[in-house]
Amino acid sequence: MTQTRSSQPVVPPPRSPAAAGPVGAHAVADRLGALAGRGPATDGVAVFLGAYLPVVAEAARRNGAGERPERRLAATLTLRCAERALTALETAAAGGKGSACWRPLLDARHHPGVRPVQFALAGVNAQLGCDLPLALVDLCRTLRRTPTELADAFERAADRLVLLEERVREELTPGQELLELADPLVHLLGCRSAERARDGAWLAARALWQLRQTAGGAAGLDAEYAAQLDRSVGLAGRILLTPLPAYRRR
């Protein structure tokens, strides 16, 4: 595990199960699927969910009885992470704001100058950069264990998101016949590293956990840190969603 890298109201944590069991696991995938089907295929949220839903469905399957404990724990963490996305998207669908890390995608979801790969990466950015570390801390509190004790679950859950980002880049980035070296999309995609984002998420989770242990979190520094993390990841999402000019065909 890599050990390095990485006023506004605090975003409340999403609803989460009281234990690490499979209760509600398939409901998370079903409700995300329902959100994906509400809008047109060009909707940025639908683009992200189309790529993300297989990850959630696989986690729901691995969260069931009979799975090896380490895989089941990683699946539970993946589902806790997905619940945060679900809460943000359902809040927006009901007219609310949702967490800051998801607002850029929600605001730009219908922008004609944003490409599908940008929408999908913005969703991964919110999940890997903010939702995953907060979900890990939430699971640690539920299980009364430390982030270090759940390092393997974190690594497995983070790897799923890194692999998702790699697949998104392969499947949604236009082919070389449409992209030139000087195309802005080439530079925009080159500014992001999923591996560095994973390292930053691990560092954020450990820092947040340590802050919560300091004087029992009485100083409120853990909540401030979580809110700042949410906003910072949201800012990165806005950069990823920079509208780009139409591709020039050769």
Side-chain angles (χ1 to χ4, degrees):
M1 175 67 63
T2 306
Q3 296 293 324
T4 58
R5 260 215 255 245
S6 318
S7 175
Q8 284 191 308
V10 174
V11 179
R15 298 178 300 274
S16 57
V23 177
H26 292 283
V28 176
D30 291 344
R31 285 160 62 184
L32 284 171
L35 288 172
R38 288 184 185 178
T42 54
D43 176 9
V45 172
V47 171
F48 164 68
L49 289 177
Y52 180 56
L53 281 171
V55 175
V56 182
E58 175 69 7
R61 186 185 70 78
R62 288 188 178 276
N63 201 48
E67 193 60 67
R68 292 210 302 265
E70 64 275 15
R71 289 187 176 180
R72 186 175 179 184
L73 191 57
T76 298
L77 178 57
T78 297
L79 291 169
R80 290 282 182 104
C81 191
E83 284 182 30
R84 299 193 71 90
L86 177 63
T87 296
L89 298 177
E90 287 187 336
T91 297
K97 276 192 170 183
S99 53
C101 64
W102 285 98
R103 271 178 232 148
L105 178 57
L106 293 164
D107 291 343
R109 64 193 298 178
H110 300 299
H111 198 297
V114 180
R115 311 303 173 199
V117 66
Q118 293 174 262
F119 287 132
L121 289 181
V124 177
N125 172 69
Q127 279 275 281
L128 185 54
C130 185
D131 288 345
L132 182 59
L134 295 182
L136 177 63
V137 171
D138 177 56
L139 187 58
C140 285
R141 295 179 70 187
T142 297
L143 300 179
R144 299 181 183 276
R145 296 170 71 179
T146 68
T148 301
E149 292 174 314
L150 297 187
D152 182 72
F154 174 88
E155 191 72 21
R156 289 171 183 266
D159 282 349
R160 288 188 179 118
L161 292 173
V162 171
L163 289 173
L164 171 61
E165 177 158 336
E166 292 174 357
R167 180 164 58 84
V168 161
R169 286 174 179 266
E170 291 177 3
E171 296 179 1
L172 297 182
T173 302
Q176 291 303 315
E177 71 279 4
L178 293 179
L179 282 182
E180 300 175 353
L181 183 60
D183 195 294
L185 182 60
V186 174
H187 296 276
L188 191 64
L189 297 182
C191 291
R192 176 172 171 79
S193 166
E195 287 75 16
R196 286 197 298 269
R198 173 177 54 195
D199 291 347
W202 174 241
L203 179 61
R206 288 165 49 234
L208 181 57
W209 180 258
Q210 188 62 42
L211 287 171
R212 288 193 172 182
Q213 305 314 301
T214 303
L221 292 177
D222 58 333
E224 290 183 28
Y225 182 87
Q228 182 58 43
L229 177 67
D230 189 32
R231 291 191 293 268
S232 297
V233 173
L235 178 59
R238 289 203 183 280
I239 295 171
L240 282 170
L241 292 165
T242 300
L244 301 175
Y247 300 123
R248 299 184 303 277
R249 291 187 178 274
R250 295 178 180 176

mmCIF file with all atom_site columns, all heavy atoms in Angstrom, residues 125-149:
data_model
loop_
_atom_site.group_PDB
_atom_site.id
_atom_site.type_symbol
_atom_site.label_atom_id
_atom_site.label_alt_id
_atom_site.label_comp_id
_atom_site.label_asym_id
_atom_site.label_entity_id
_atom_site.label_seq_id
_atom_site.pdbx_PDB_ins_code
_atom_site.Cartn_x
_atom_site.Cartn_y
_atom_site.Cartn_z
_atom_site.occupancy
_atom_site.B_iso_or_equiv
_atom_site.pdbx_formal_charge
_atom_site.auth_seq_id
_atom_site.auth_comp_id
_atom_site.auth_asym_id
_atom_site.auth_atom_id
_atom_site.pdbx_PDB_model_num
ATOM 1   N N   . ASN A 1 125 ? -13.658 10.407 -10.858 1.00 0.00 ? 125 ASN A N   1
ATOM 2   C CA  . ASN A 1 125 ? -12.953 11.363 -10.011 1.00 0.00 ? 125 ASN A CA  1
ATOM 3   C C   . ASN A 1 125 ? -13.672 11.556 -8.677  1.00 0.00 ? 125 ASN A C   1
ATOM 4   O O   . ASN A 1 125 ? -13.052 11.549 -7.613  1.00 0.00 ? 125 ASN A O   1
ATOM 5   C CB  . ASN A 1 125 ? -12.834 12.700 -10.744 1.00 0.00 ? 125 ASN A CB  1
ATOM 6   C CG  . ASN A 1 125 ? -12.290 13.811 -9.871  1.00 0.00 ? 125 ASN A CG  1
ATOM 7   O OD1 . ASN A 1 125 ? -11.134 13.810 -9.488  1.00 0.00 ? 125 ASN A OD1 1
ATOM 8   N ND2 . ASN A 1 125 ? -13.148 14.778 -9.547  1.00 0.00 ? 125 ASN A ND2 1
ATOM 9   N N   . ALA A 1 126 ? -14.985 11.712 -8.713  1.00 0.00 ? 126 ALA A N   1
ATOM 10  C CA  . ALA A 1 126 ? -15.761 11.893 -7.485  1.00 0.00 ? 126 ALA A CA  1
ATOM 11  C C   . ALA A 1 126 ? -15.717 10.653 -6.612  1.00 0.00 ? 126 ALA A C   1
ATOM 12  O O   . ALA A 1 126 ? -15.572 10.739 -5.383  1.00 0.00 ? 126 ALA A O   1
ATOM 13  C CB  . ALA A 1 126 ? -17.212 12.248 -7.826  1.00 0.00 ? 126 ALA A CB  1
ATOM 14  N N   . GLN A 1 127 ? -15.798 9.487  -7.243  1.00 0.00 ? 127 GLN A N   1
ATOM 15  C CA  . GLN A 1 127 ? -15.780 8.239  -6.490  1.00 0.00 ? 127 GLN A CA  1
ATOM 16  C C   . GLN A 1 127 ? -14.417 7.960  -5.867  1.00 0.00 ? 127 GLN A C   1
ATOM 17  O O   . GLN A 1 127 ? -14.310 7.680  -4.670  1.00 0.00 ? 127 GLN A O   1
ATOM 18  C CB  . GLN A 1 127 ? -16.144 7.082  -7.426  1.00 0.00 ? 127 GLN A CB  1
ATOM 19  C CG  . GLN A 1 127 ? -17.625 6.913  -7.652  1.00 0.00 ? 127 GLN A CG  1
ATOM 20  C CD  . GLN A 1 127 ? -18.275 6.094  -6.567  1.00 0.00 ? 127 GLN A CD  1
ATOM 21  O OE1 . GLN A 1 127 ? -18.188 4.872  -6.571  1.00 0.00 ? 127 GLN A OE1 1
ATOM 22  N NE2 . GLN A 1 127 ? -18.920 6.738  -5.626  1.00 0.00 ? 127 GLN A NE2 1
ATOM 23  N N   . LEU A 1 128 ? -13.374 8.057  -6.668  1.00 0.00 ? 128 LEU A N   1
ATOM 24  C CA  . LEU A 1 128 ? -12.044 7.698  -6.201  1.00 0.00 ? 128 LEU A CA  1
ATOM 25  C C   . LEU A 1 128 ? -11.453 8.764  -5.289  1.00 0.00 ? 128 LEU A C   1
ATOM 26  O O   . LEU A 1 128 ? -10.815 8.450  -4.281  1.00 0.00 ? 128 LEU A O   1
ATOM 27  C CB  . LEU A 1 128 ? -11.129 7.460  -7.406  1.00 0.00 ? 128 LEU A CB  1
ATOM 28  C CG  . LEU A 1 128 ? -9.709  6.957  -7.155  1.00 0.00 ? 128 LEU A CG  1
ATOM 29  C CD1 . LEU A 1 128 ? -9.716  5.689  -6.311  1.00 0.00 ? 128 LEU A CD1 1
ATOM 30  C CD2 . LEU A 1 128 ? -8.997  6.701  -8.479  1.00 0.00 ? 128 LEU A CD2 1
ATOM 31  N N   . GLY A 1 129 ? -11.691 10.032 -5.605  1.00 0.00 ? 129 GLY A N   1
ATOM 32  C CA  . GLY A 1 129 ? -11.065 11.097 -4.856  1.00 0.00 ? 129 GLY A CA  1
ATOM 33  C C   . GLY A 1 129 ? -11.725 11.431 -3.540  1.00 0.00 ? 129 GLY A C   1
ATOM 34  O O   . GLY A 1 129 ? -11.051 11.805 -2.572  1.00 0.00 ? 129 GLY A O   1
ATOM 35  N N   . CYS A 1 130 ? -13.055 11.284 -3.467  1.00 0.00 ? 130 CYS A N   1
ATOM 36  C CA  . CYS A 1 130 ? -13.784 11.699 -2.261  1.00 0.00 ? 130 CYS A CA  1
ATOM 37  C C   . CYS A 1 130 ? -14.630 10.585 -1.660  1.00 0.00 ? 130 CYS A C   1
ATOM 38  O O   . CYS A 1 130 ? -14.528 10.283 -0.480  1.00 0.00 ? 130 CYS A O   1
ATOM 39  C CB  . CYS A 1 130 ? -14.668 12.907 -2.591  1.00 0.00 ? 130 CYS A CB  1
ATOM 40  S SG  . CYS A 1 130 ? -15.508 13.614 -1.165  1.00 0.00 ? 130 CYS A SG  1
ATOM 41  N N   . ASP A 1 131 ? -15.476 9.964  -2.476  1.00 0.00 ? 131 ASP A N   1
ATOM 42  C CA  . ASP A 1 131 ? -16.406 8.969  -1.930  1.00 0.00 ? 131 ASP A CA  1
ATOM 43  C C   . ASP A 1 131 ? -15.696 7.776  -1.313  1.00 0.00 ? 131 ASP A C   1
ATOM 44  O O   . ASP A 1 131 ? -16.106 7.272  -0.263  1.00 0.00 ? 131 ASP A O   1
ATOM 45  C CB  . ASP A 1 131 ? -17.366 8.485  -3.032  1.00 0.00 ? 131 ASP A CB  1
ATOM 46  C CG  . ASP A 1 131 ? -18.389 9.538  -3.413  1.00 0.00 ? 131 ASP A CG  1
ATOM 47  O OD1 . ASP A 1 131 ? -18.549 10.516 -2.663  1.00 0.00 ? 131 ASP A OD1 1
ATOM 48  O OD2 . ASP A 1 131 ? -19.034 9.382  -4.469  1.00 0.00 ? 131 ASP A OD2 1
ATOM 49  N N   . LEU A 1 132 ? -14.627 7.307  -1.953  1.00 0.00 ? 132 LEU A N   1
ATOM 50  C CA  . LEU A 1 132 ? -13.940 6.120  -1.436  1.00 0.00 ? 132 LEU A CA  1
ATOM 51  C C   . LEU A 1 132 ? -13.280 6.363  -0.080  1.00 0.00 ? 132 LEU A C   1
ATOM 52  O O   . LEU A 1 132 ? -13.475 5.567  0.847   1.00 0.00 ? 132 LEU A O   1
ATOM 53  C CB  . LEU A 1 132 ? -12.929 5.598  -2.456  1.00 0.00 ? 132 LEU A CB  1
ATOM 54  C CG  . LEU A 1 132 ? -12.172 4.333  -2.042  1.00 0.00 ? 132 LEU A CG  1
ATOM 55  C CD1 . LEU A 1 132 ? -13.130 3.178  -1.769  1.00 0.00 ? 132 LEU A CD1 1
ATOM 56  C CD2 . LEU A 1 132 ? -11.154 3.936  -3.117  1.00 0.00 ? 132 LEU A CD2 1
ATOM 57  N N   . PRO A 1 133 ? -12.481 7.424  0.106   1.00 0.00 ? 133 PRO A N   1
ATOM 58  C CA  . PRO A 1 133 ? -11.907 7.628  1.444   1.00 0.00 ? 133 PRO A CA  1
ATOM 59  C C   . PRO A 1 133 ? -12.949 7.850  2.525   1.00 0.00 ? 133 PRO A C   1
ATOM 60  O O   . PRO A 1 133 ? -12.810 7.349  3.646   1.00 0.00 ? 133 PRO A O   1
ATOM 61  C CB  . PRO A 1 133 ? -11.002 8.857  1.265   1.00 0.00 ? 133 PRO A CB  1
ATOM 62  C CG  . PRO A 1 133 ? -11.409 9.490  0.006   1.00 0.00 ? 133 PRO A CG  1
ATOM 63  C CD  . PRO A 1 133 ? -11.954 8.403  -0.864  1.00 0.00 ? 133 PRO A CD  1
ATOM 64  N N   . LEU A 1 134 ? -14.032 8.571  2.201   1.00 0.00 ? 134 LEU A N   1
ATOM 65  C CA  . LEU A 1 134 ? -15.079 8.780  3.202   1.00 0.00 ? 134 LEU A CA  1
ATOM 66  C C   . LEU A 1 134 ? -15.818 7.475  3.504   1.00 0.00 ? 134 LEU A C   1
ATOM 67  O O   . LEU A 1 134 ? -16.195 7.215  4.652   1.00 0.00 ? 134 LEU A O   1
ATOM 68  C CB  . LEU A 1 134 ? -16.058 9.847  2.731   1.00 0.00 ? 134 LEU A CB  1
ATOM 69  C CG  . LEU A 1 134 ? -15.482 11.267 2.577   1.00 0.00 ? 134 LEU A CG  1
ATOM 70  C CD1 . LEU A 1 134 ? -16.574 12.235 2.147   1.00 0.00 ? 134 LEU A CD1 1
ATOM 71  C CD2 . LEU A 1 134 ? -14.836 11.740 3.872   1.00 0.00 ? 134 LEU A CD2 1
ATOM 72  N N   . ALA A 1 135 ? -16.001 6.649  2.477   1.00 0.00 ? 135 ALA A N   1
ATOM 73  C CA  . ALA A 1 135 ? -16.655 5.357  2.693   1.00 0.00 ? 135 ALA A CA  1
ATOM 74  C C   . ALA A 1 135 ? -15.779 4.445  3.543   1.00 0.00 ? 135 ALA A C   1
ATOM 75  O O   . ALA A 1 135 ? -16.278 3.679  4.377   1.00 0.00 ? 135 ALA A O   1
ATOM 76  C CB  . ALA A 1 135 ? -16.965 4.698  1.353   1.00 0.00 ? 135 ALA A CB  1
ATOM 77  N N   . LEU A 1 136 ? -14.467 4.504  3.344   1.00 0.00 ? 136 LEU A N   1
ATOM 78  C CA  . LEU A 1 136 ? -13.564 3.676  4.148   1.00 0.00 ? 136 LEU A CA  1
ATOM 79  C C   . LEU A 1 136 ? -13.635 4.065  5.616   1.00 0.00 ? 136 LEU A C   1
ATOM 80  O O   . LEU A 1 136 ? -13.716 3.194  6.499   1.00 0.00 ? 136 LEU A O   1
ATOM 81  C CB  . LEU A 1 136 ? -12.124 3.822  3.638   1.00 0.00 ? 136 LEU A CB  1
ATOM 82  C CG  . LEU A 1 136 ? -11.073 3.057  4.443   1.00 0.00 ? 136 LEU A CG  1
ATOM 83  C CD1 . LEU A 1 136 ? -11.324 1.551  4.385   1.00 0.00 ? 136 LEU A CD1 1
ATOM 84  C CD2 . LEU A 1 136 ? -9.662  3.381  3.952   1.00 0.00 ? 136 LEU A CD2 1
ATOM 85  N N   . VAL A 1 137 ? -13.616 5.360  5.891   1.00 0.00 ? 137 VAL A N   1
ATOM 86  C CA  . VAL A 1 137 ? -13.712 5.815  7.284   1.00 0.00 ? 137 VAL A CA  1
ATOM 87  C C   . VAL A 1 137 ? -15.056 5.399  7.885   1.00 0.00 ? 137 VAL A C   1
ATOM 88  O O   . VAL A 1 137 ? -15.125 4.963  9.040   1.00 0.00 ? 137 VAL A O   1
ATOM 89  C CB  . VAL A 1 137 ? -13.512 7.339  7.358   1.00 0.00 ? 137 VAL A CB  1
ATOM 90  C CG1 . VAL A 1 137 ? -13.825 7.863  8.758   1.00 0.00 ? 137 VAL A CG1 1
ATOM 91  C CG2 . VAL A 1 137 ? -12.078 7.701  6.984   1.00 0.00 ? 137 VAL A CG2 1
ATOM 92  N N   . ASP A 1 138 ? -16.112 5.502  7.103   1.00 0.00 ? 138 ASP A N   1
ATOM 93  C CA  . ASP A 1 138 ? -17.440 5.085  7.574   1.00 0.00 ? 138 ASP A CA  1
ATOM 94  C C   . ASP A 1 138 ? -17.445 3.598  7.922   1.00 0.00 ? 138 ASP A C   1
ATOM 95  O O   . ASP A 1 138 ? -17.965 3.179  8.954   1.00 0.00 ? 138 ASP A O   1
ATOM 96  C CB  . ASP A 1 138 ? -18.467 5.394  6.488   1.00 0.00 ? 138 ASP A CB  1
ATOM 97  C CG  . ASP A 1 138 ? -19.869 4.926  6.862   1.00 0.00 ? 138 ASP A CG  1
ATOM 98  O OD1 . ASP A 1 138 ? -20.377 5.330  7.920   1.00 0.00 ? 138 ASP A OD1 1
ATOM 99  O OD2 . ASP A 1 138 ? -20.463 4.136  6.085   1.00 0.00 ? 138 ASP A OD2 1
ATOM 100 N N   . LEU A 1 139 ? -16.817 2.777  7.064   1.00 0.00 ? 139 LEU A N   1
ATOM 101 C CA  . LEU A 1 139 ? -16.776 1.334  7.314   1.00 0.00 ? 139 LEU A CA  1
ATOM 102 C C   . LEU A 1 139 ? -15.900 1.016  8.514   1.00 0.00 ? 139 LEU A C   1
ATOM 103 O O   . LEU A 1 139 ? -16.220 0.114  9.302   1.00 0.00 ? 139 LEU A O   1
ATOM 104 C CB  . LEU A 1 139 ? -16.269 0.615  6.065   1.00 0.00 ? 139 LEU A CB  1
ATOM 105 C CG  . LEU A 1 139 ? -16.322 -0.914 6.101   1.00 0.00 ? 139 LEU A CG  1
ATOM 106 C CD1 . LEU A 1 139 ? -17.740 -1.425 6.332   1.00 0.00 ? 139 LEU A CD1 1
ATOM 107 C CD2 . LEU A 1 139 ? -15.743 -1.493 4.813   1.00 0.00 ? 139 LEU A CD2 1
ATOM 108 N N   . CYS A 1 140 ? -14.805 1.754  8.680   1.00 0.00 ? 140 CYS A N   1
ATOM 109 C CA  . CYS A 1 140 ? -13.947 1.553  9.853   1.00 0.00 ? 140 CYS A CA  1
ATOM 110 C C   . CYS A 1 140 ? -14.722 1.802  11.145  1.00 0.00 ? 140 CYS A C   1
ATOM 111 O O   . CYS A 1 140 ? -14.580 1.056  12.126  1.00 0.00 ? 140 CYS A O   1
ATOM 112 C CB  . CYS A 1 140 ? -12.743 2.480  9.783   1.00 0.00 ? 140 CYS A CB  1
ATOM 113 S SG  . CYS A 1 140 ? -11.477 1.991  8.590   1.00 0.00 ? 140 CYS A SG  1
ATOM 114 N N   . ARG A 1 141 ? -15.521 2.833  11.146  1.00 0.00 ? 141 ARG A N   1
ATOM 115 C CA  . ARG A 1 141 ? -16.317 3.134  12.338  1.00 0.00 ? 141 ARG A CA  1
ATOM 116 C C   . ARG A 1 141 ? -17.347 2.036  12.592  1.00 0.00 ? 141 ARG A C   1
ATOM 117 O O   . ARG A 1 141 ? -17.586 1.649  13.732  1.00 0.00 ? 141 ARG A O   1
ATOM 118 C CB  . ARG A 1 141 ? -17.011 4.489  12.165  1.00 0.00 ? 141 ARG A CB  1
ATOM 119 C CG  . ARG A 1 141 ? -16.052 5.668  12.077  1.00 0.00 ? 141 ARG A CG  1
ATOM 120 C CD  . ARG A 1 141 ? -16.790 6.965  11.885  1.00 0.00 ? 141 ARG A CD  1
ATOM 121 N NE  . ARG A 1 141 ? -17.528 7.354  13.087  1.00 0.00 ? 141 ARG A NE  1
ATOM 122 C CZ  . ARG A 1 141 ? -18.368 8.376  13.135  1.00 0.00 ? 141 ARG A CZ  1
ATOM 123 N NH1 . ARG A 1 141 ? -18.599 9.096  12.059  1.00 0.00 ? 141 ARG A NH1 1
ATOM 124 N NH2 . ARG A 1 141 ? -18.973 8.678  14.259  1.00 0.00 ? 141 ARG A NH2 1
ATOM 125 N N   . THR A 1 142 ? -17.950 1.536  11.542  1.00 0.00 ? 142 THR A N   1
ATOM 126 C CA  . THR A 1 142 ? -18.944 0.474  11.696  1.00 0.00 ? 142 THR A CA  1
ATOM 127 C C   . THR A 1 142 ? -18.316 -0.802 12.260  1.00 0.00 ? 142 THR A C   1
ATOM 128 O O   . THR A 1 142 ? -18.871 -1.439 13.165  1.00 0.00 ? 142 THR A O   1
ATOM 129 C CB  . THR A 1 142 ? -19.605 0.159  10.345  1.00 0.00 ? 142 THR A CB  1
ATOM 130 O OG1 . THR A 1 142 ? -20.303 1.320  9.878   1.00 0.00 ? 142 THR A OG1 1
ATOM 131 C CG2 . THR A 1 142 ? -20.588 -0.999 10.461  1.00 0.00 ? 142 THR A CG2 1
ATOM 132 N N   . LEU A 1 143 ? -17.162 -1.166 11.724  1.00 0.00 ? 143 LEU A N   1
ATOM 133 C CA  . LEU A 1 143 ? -16.517 -2.423 12.113  1.00 0.00 ? 143 LEU A CA  1
ATOM 134 C C   . LEU A 1 143 ? -15.558 -2.275 13.289  1.00 0.00 ? 143 LEU A C   1
ATOM 135 O O   . LEU A 1 143 ? -14.976 -3.265 13.732  1.00 0.00 ? 143 LEU A O   1
ATOM 136 C CB  . LEU A 1 143 ? -15.754 -2.991 10.906  1.00 0.00 ? 143 LEU A CB  1
ATOM 137 C CG  . LEU A 1 143 ? -16.579 -3.309 9.663   1.00 0.00 ? 143 LEU A CG  1
ATOM 138 C CD1 . LEU A 1 143 ? -15.692 -3.842 8.554   1.00 0.00 ? 143 LEU A CD1 1
ATOM 139 C CD2 . LEU A 1 143 ? -17.704 -4.289 9.978   1.00 0.00 ? 143 LEU A CD2 1
ATOM 140 N N   . ARG A 1 144 ? -15.356 -1.023 13.769  1.00 0.00 ? 144 ARG A N   1
ATOM 141 C CA  . ARG A 1 144 ? -14.418 -0.749 14.843  1.00 0.00 ? 144 ARG A CA  1
ATOM 142 C C   . ARG A 1 144 ? -13.014 -1.245 14.490  1.00 0.00 ? 144 ARG A C   1
ATOM 143 O O   . ARG A 1 144 ? -12.327 -1.900 15.272  1.00 0.00 ? 144 ARG A O   1
ATOM 144 C CB  . ARG A 1 144 ? -14.899 -1.373 16.165  1.00 0.00 ? 144 ARG A CB  1
ATOM 145 C CG  . ARG A 1 144 ? -16.240 -0.836 16.645  1.00 0.00 ? 144 ARG A CG  1
ATOM 146 C CD  . ARG A 1 144 ? -16.654 -1.460 17.959  1.00 0.00 ? 144 ARG A CD  1
ATOM 147 N NE  . ARG A 1 144 ? -17.961 -0.998 18.360  1.00 0.00 ? 144 ARG A NE  1
ATOM 148 C CZ  . ARG A 1 144 ? -18.211 0.140  19.009  1.00 0.00 ? 144 ARG A CZ  1
ATOM 149 N NH1 . ARG A 1 144 ? -17.198 0.956  19.315  1.00 0.00 ? 144 ARG A NH1 1
ATOM 150 N NH2 . ARG A 1 144 ? -19.433 0.482  19.347  1.00 0.00 ? 144 ARG A NH2 1
ATOM 151 N N   . ARG A 1 145 ? -12.595 -0.910 13.288  1.00 0.00 ? 145 ARG A N   1
ATOM 152 C CA  . ARG A 1 145 ? -11.257 -1.238 12.820  1.00 0.00 ? 145 ARG A CA  1
ATOM 153 C C   . ARG A 1 145 ? -10.619 0.011  12.230  1.00 0.00 ? 145 ARG A C   1
ATOM 154 O O   . ARG A 1 145 ? -11.301 1.003  11.977  1.00 0.00 ? 145 ARG A O   1
ATOM 155 C CB  . ARG A 1 145 ? -11.333 -2.365 11.774  1.00 0.00 ? 145 ARG A CB  1
ATOM 156 C CG  . ARG A 1 145 ? -11.880 -3.652 12.383  1.00 0.00 ? 145 ARG A CG  1
ATOM 157 C CD  . ARG A 1 145 ? -12.198 -4.701 11.339  1.00 0.00 ? 145 ARG A CD  1
ATOM 158 N NE  . ARG A 1 145 ? -10.994 -5.274 10.746  1.00 0.00 ? 145 ARG A NE  1
ATOM 159 C CZ  . ARG A 1 145 ? -11.020 -6.225 9.814   1.00 0.00 ? 145 ARG A CZ  1
ATOM 160 N NH1 . ARG A 1 145 ? -12.193 -6.698 9.398   1.00 0.00 ? 145 ARG A NH1 1
ATOM 161 N NH2 . ARG A 1 145 ? -9.908  -6.705 9.314   1.00 0.00 ? 145 ARG A NH2 1
ATOM 162 N N   . THR A 1 146 ? -9.319  -0.023 12.024  1.00 0.00 ? 146 THR A N   1
ATOM 163 C CA  . THR A 1 146 ? -8.596  1.134  11.514  1.00 0.00 ? 146 THR A CA  1
ATOM 164 C C   . THR A 1 146 ? -8.428  1.023  10.001  1.00 0.00 ? 146 THR A C   1
ATOM 165 O O   . THR A 1 146 ? -8.552  -0.080 9.430   1.00 0.00 ? 146 THR A O   1
ATOM 166 C CB  . THR A 1 146 ? -7.206  1.228  12.151  1.00 0.00 ? 146 THR A CB  1
ATOM 167 O OG1 . THR A 1 146 ? -6.413  0.128  11.692  1.00 0.00 ? 146 THR A OG1 1
ATOM 168 C CG2 . THR A 1 146 ? -7.302  1.200  13.674  1.00 0.00 ? 146 THR A CG2 1
ATOM 169 N N   . PRO A 1 147 ? -8.124  2.134  9.330   1.00 0.00 ? 147 PRO A N   1
ATOM 170 C CA  . PRO A 1 147 ? -7.857  2.053  7.892   1.00 0.00 ? 147 PRO A CA  1
ATOM 171 C C   . PRO A 1 147 ? -6.738  1.070  7.560   1.00 0.00 ? 147 PRO A C   1
ATOM 172 O O   . PRO A 1 147 ? -6.820  0.358  6.550   1.00 0.00 ? 147 PRO A O   1
ATOM 173 C CB  . PRO A 1 147 ? -7.469  3.494  7.531   1.00 0.00 ? 147 PRO A CB  1
ATOM 174 C CG  . PRO A 1 147 ? -8.230  4.333  8.505   1.00 0.00 ? 147 PRO A CG  1
ATOM 175 C CD  . PRO A 1 147 ? -8.178  3.541  9.788   1.00 0.00 ? 147 PRO A CD  1
ATOM 176 N N   . THR A 1 148 ? -5.713  1.019  8.381   1.00 0.00 ? 148 THR A N   1
ATOM 177 C CA  . THR A 1 148 ? -4.617  0.084  8.124   1.00 0.00 ? 148 THR A CA  1
ATOM 178 C C   . THR A 1 148 ? -5.108  -1.358 8.135   1.00 0.00 ? 148 THR A C   1
ATOM 179 O O   . THR A 1 148 ? -4.676  -2.191 7.331   1.00 0.00 ? 148 THR A O   1
ATOM 180 C CB  . THR A 1 148 ? -3.501  0.266  9.164   1.00 0.00 ? 148 THR A CB  1
ATOM 181 O OG1 . THR A 1 148 ? -3.011  1.610  9.098   1.00 0.00 ? 148 THR A OG1 1
ATOM 182 C CG2 . THR A 1 148 ? -2.354  -0.702 8.920   1.00 0.00 ? 148 THR A CG2 1
ATOM 183 N N   . GLU A 1 149 ? -6.028  -1.662 9.046   1.00 0.00 ? 149 GLU A N   1
ATOM 184 C CA  . GLU A 1 149 ? -6.581  -3.020 9.113   1.00 0.00 ? 149 GLU A CA  1
ATOM 185 C C   . GLU A 1 149 ? -7.453  -3.340 7.908   1.00 0.00 ? 149 GLU A C   1
ATOM 186 O O   . GLU A 1 149 ? -7.647  -4.521 7.581   1.00 0.00 ? 149 GLU A O   1
ATOM 187 C CB  . GLU A 1 149 ? -7.383  -3.190 10.402  1.00 0.00 ? 149 GLU A CB  1
ATOM 188 C CG  . GLU A 1 149 ? -6.532  -3.166 11.665  1.00 0.00 ? 149 GLU A CG  1
ATOM 189 C CD  . GLU A 1 149 ? -7.376  -3.190 12.924  1.00 0.00 ? 149 GLU A CD  1
ATOM 190 O OE1 . GLU A 1 149 ? -8.371  -2.429 12.993  1.00 0.00 ? 149 GLU A OE1 1
ATOM 191 O OE2 . GLU A 1 149 ? -7.037  -3.950 13.839  1.00 0.00 ? 149 GLU A OE2 1
#
